[in-house]
Amino acid sequence: MSTSHTAASAGTSSTSGTTDASGGGPFAAWLRTGATPLTTLDPDACLDELEPLREIVGDARVVALGENSHFIREFALARTRLLRFLVERCGFTVLAFEYGFSEGFALDDWTQGAGPDDALERYSAAALPMGIEEPLRRLRAHNRTAPHPVRFAGIDIPEAGGSLLPALEPVVGYLREVDPELLPLAESALSIARRFAGGSGAVAAPAWARLETSEQDALSAALARLLTRFRAVEPLYVDRGGRRRFDIALRRVEGACHADYTFRAMAGLFAGTGLTADTSAREVYMAGSVRWHLAHAEPGTRIVLAAHNAHIMKEPVSFSGHLTGLPMGQHLHRALGDDYVALALTSVTGGTAEMRRDESARFGFVVEDTPLGAPEPGSIESAFAEAGLGLALADLRRAPEQAQGAAPDRIRIQGSYLHAPVLDAFDGVLAVPSSTVDEGAPGPAPAPESGA
């Protein structure tokens, strides 16, 4: 993949807030010389050209790798290549993913060598196909010979809001051992949760909304009582089952509570009656899970965090001037400061994966391959286009004051734009010249056979 980083553009700079002679404004002019052109997305290619990433990362304990849309081939390739650099060159030892906290432990066991090589599909069959399989296969192969194996960590509410079962089922098993008296309460919550479990929040949230209000309230009350009981008798549970098992079970209960809250928030959002930024319940849980993994890992652990740009950004999420969420990245930045670094991935042209709700589909939506229009003026994508760059990496913190004054105020999210001060929201950005929807993205449900 070539770039148009020519000698002429490299020698051009703007000395005022007006359009630069080579095209674009002062921020695009800075990108021409300040961004690093890259040649490939091949995960197996030599890593030397990614050395500028080391300066962006610094000594941070958590480095987040984003994407402006799920189900994009180029973002999956870039993420795998960046992960390889951060593991091999910078000593990162955990891959955390936008994947259920509770479900993540089985995948971690597999990456450490448990079970046969072809067992990954059994562990991840219920998960959205968002490009997790290839990094995990690489981690398993890496860990066979690595002196310091890389772990896997889930951070999300169960099934990203698709079901409470991955959290509640192991909690019921735990309570059989440490607190059988609480089993009827946990089993009543589990019984209600089975009635609306789905493959994603797009399935589960509408199914939850169809429950009787009395059942919705009974579930919330049961989960609140479980959580309070866990916290109140912590010493008893630790004595009976050990510290680590308690910590995991408590986090699972917390995940179920945050997912239950998210169902209510989503129902309000769809009905037009939701509270401001109410879906942030999921975001703060993910941030807390990242911190949980840091606290329970060996000293010196460094985490690569893979999630959507809208999750990793350090500024609030707003659309058309309306505050919609306080993202995971904002919570992590407040808690970790410079120990948290966010790297956005975006594309200038090509196609994107728009998700259309369809309850008949397996995951409650179908992906539509949608062409991207020309980048909006004022966007980070427009700046890369004006700079004449192809595949390139930019350390946004190095932008000079003059460029900062003309910095982008929006970034792509699928085919739309999320409005935010991009230089405050992200520490760096990797832009690909064109994006394509992955062939494995969720499609419509198969049509019934004629005559059936």
Side-chain angles (χ1 to χ4, degrees), residues 67-78:
E67 55 186 3
N68 72 24
S69 173
H70 296 316
F71 316 114
I72 298 297
R73 176 178 178 272
E74 288 78 9
F75 295 157
L77 290 171

Side-chain angles (χ1 to χ4, degrees), residues 230-271:
F230 264 69
R231 291 171 174 168
V233 298
E234 174 181 343
L236 179 66
Y237 283 10
V238 171
D239 286 345
R240 291 177 176 177
R243 165 54 63 183
R244 180 166 176 80
R245 291 183 64 208
F246 169 80
D247 288 348
I248 293 173
L250 173 62
R251 192 69 190 151
R252 283 171 164 152
V253 174
E254 291 169 343
C257 289
H258 281 255
D260 177 65
Y261 190 98
T262 300
F263 295 138
R264 292 182 181 272
M266 292 297 291
L269 181 66
F270 293 145

